[in-house]
Amino acid sequence: MLDGHFRATFEKGLRPVGRNIRRTGITADHLTAFGGVMALACAVSIGFGQLHLGFLFGVLSAVPDVLDGAVAKASGTASARGAFFDSVMDRVSDALVFGGVAWYLASPESGKGGYWPLLPLAVLATSMLISYERARAESLGFDA
């Protein structure tokens, strides 16, 4: 999400939050899964034209995504498996939300019609391509 010195500062600020969440028994995987469920709720809300509710669920999906890494580090459970689960859930969440936007734009109620539903598809494809490029570059030994 963040690179360079901003990432270190951001992670340092989240450490106390991660420690407090860890004390409740909530794991990083719980937060990741909860974020995915909220992304699904966001997609369904947007798809049915409930844009304000979709926005709320979008925020509720982003917050645990920010916190799951801090909880994993605070609990000493940070692992490649957890990072993989988080990355996959991020892409699934992207697909759900952009699918909900496309569904909404394709609906007669949106008043858009035409080719507008293809816009979320283009954004989704770009976001997935960026993730793929990073993973592929790192697998080849490049710093991505």
Side-chain angles (χ1 to χ4, degrees):
M1 182 173 111
L2 301 170
D3 290 330
H5 69 281
F6 293 115
R7 182 181 189 113
T9 303
F10 188 73
E11 287 178 351
K12 183 179 177 184
L14 286 178
R15 279 186 203 139
V17 177
R19 283 192 297 268
N20 287 330
I21 292 172
R22 176 193 56 129
R23 289 184 191 123
T24 68
I26 295 172
T27 68
D29 285 348
H30 291 145
L31 289 171
T32 301
F34 180 74
V37 171
M38 291 298 101
L40 175 62
C42 174
V44 170
S45 298
I46 292 172
F48 285 109
Q50 300 295 318
L51 303 183
H52 290 93
L53 188 58
F55 176 78
L56 173 66
F57 283 126
V59 170
L60 290 175
S61 106
V63 170
D65 188 41
V66 169
L67 297 174
D68 57 5
V71 171
K73 289 174 185 164
S75 62
T77 59
S79 67
R81 187 211 53 83
F84 177 76
F85 178 49
D86 182 51
S87 294
V88 170
M89 188 56 69
D90 287 348
R91 298 297 73 79
V92 169
S93 296
D94 290 348
L96 288 169
V97 172
F98 286 120
V101 172
W103 186 276
Y104 170 71
L105 291 174
S107 72
E109 294 84 27
S110 76
K112 301 291 183 201
Y115 294 103
W116 280 102
L118 296 176
L119 179 61
L121 176 64
V123 174
L124 176 65
T126 303
S127 76
M128 290 189 174
L129 181 62
I130 291 167
S131 295
Y132 172 77
E133 287 173 342
R134 173 176 271 181
R136 184 66 179 143
E138 289 177 355
S139 76
L140 295 172
F142 296 109
D143 181 23

